[in-house]
Amino acid sequence: MNVKDVRRENMRALARTVGGISAMANRLGKSQGQISHLIGSSPIKNIGDKIAAQVELAFTKPHGWLDREHAEIHGVEQTSEVYATVPLISWQHVPAWRHHTADQQSKNPNWVVANIADLSENAYALTVQGDAMEGSPGVSFPEGCMIVVDPHLEAKSGAFVVAANGSQANVTFKEYCVDGGKRYLKPLNSRYPIEEVLHDITFYGVVRQLLMRF
């Protein structure tokens, strides 16, 4: 491994010892987004000398420690996963989100933590609005919960998707179903109608995780 990779793996290992990216961010006095860009599942920045020195100081390591491989720390049992952080965006920003550059996305002020290792770099989170996706029994997405969405996954029948049926202004969150050659967007709440896809449908991502705050 080159020095950049060694630094990243060492910093990830240190993050695991304190409970993940969120705890690492708190210790360094930085945001979760900043740390995720360095050691998350899809890092977009390298660890510079200044950050490396801050990490070594925060973890009481000697100067240059981050640049060398350490069998003792990489042997720590990985009971705490290094989580990914994704930006929490508004529904009106969904259609344009996949066209944003990584730099534009990094300036988003709100971030949430998802324990999914293989999210794409354009993944994002949304706050569920309304009760159309509240199901009983089974899977339920109550109003106010958050969903983690990956725009680079293929939408298959049975997937929960963020999509627009026809007009791209009508972004919605539903279950995507294909039955008898017809396509539908189905709410989990039976009080709401099932929408048949009669024309074009635009997929903005497949839901990977449900997050709740109490």
Side-chain angles (χ1 to χ4, degrees):
M1 289 192 294
N2 58 37
V3 172
K4 294 177 182 178
D5 292 335
V6 171
R7 282 184 175 180
R8 181 168 289 118
E9 290 306 311
N10 281 335
M11 191 167 170
R12 283 173 172 167
L14 289 174
R16 287 194 291 270
T17 67
V18 295
I21 282 179
S22 179
M24 170 70 82
N26 289 336
R27 179 169 292 204
L28 296 178
K30 299 185 180 299
S31 70
Q32 292 181 12
Q34 288 175 303
I35 302 305
S36 181
H37 292 158
L38 297 172
I39 63 172
S41 58
S42 300
I44 61 175
K45 293 183 178 180
N46 291 318
I47 302 168
D49 293 341
K50 184 177 179 180
I51 296 295
Q54 291 176 351
V55 172
E56 290 165 349
L57 180 62
F59 286 85
T60 62
K61 301 296 183 182
H63 177 68
W65 184 93
L66 211 65
D67 297 345
R68 301 187 299 274
E69 295 186 51
H70 305 279
E72 71 278 8
I73 191 168
H74 291 289
V76 174
E77 183 180 355
Q78 297 184 19
T79 56
S80 298
E81 182 180 353
V82 176
Y83 298 129
T85 54
V86 295
L88 177 65
I89 68 173
S90 62
W91 285 87
Q92 63 262 33
H93 289 153
V94 169
W97 184 254
R98 58 185 173 183
H99 302 298
H100 286 193
T101 65
D103 182 63
Q104 288 173 318
Q105 294 177 15
S106 69
K107 295 177 182 178
N108 188 79
N110 301 308
W111 296 81
V112 298
V113 180
N115 60 339
I116 301 175
D118 57 347
L119 283 172
S120 74
E121 62 181 12
N122 291 327
Y124 59 91
L126 292 166
T127 300
V128 172
Q129 300 175 343
D131 62 351
M133 291 300 285
E134 289 188 16
S136 180
V139 179
S140 182
F141 300 86
E143 183 173 18
C145 74
M146 291 177 291
I147 51 175
V148 177
V149 185
D150 195 328
H152 291 303
L153 291 183
E154 179 185 358
K156 298 180 180 179
S157 184
F160 297 110
V161 300
V162 174
N165 185 6
S167 171
Q168 293 190 13
N170 299 321
V171 179
T172 187
F173 166 42
K174 297 290 189 298
E175 182 181 4
Y176 177 59
C177 301
V178 179
D179 185 17
K182 295 184 177 181
R183 300 176 296 167
Y184 303 91
L185 290 177
K186 178 184 176 183
L188 296 180
N189 191 330
S190 60
R191 294 195 297 108
Y192 293 84
I194 298 174
E195 302 175 34
E196 184 177 355
V197 179
L198 298 175
H199 303 288
D200 292 335
I201 184 171
T202 303
F203 291 107
Y204 294 112
V206 174
V207 176
R208 297 290 310 280
Q209 188 174 23
L210 162 67
L211 301 173
M212 294 288 293
R213 286 179 176 172
F214 299 97

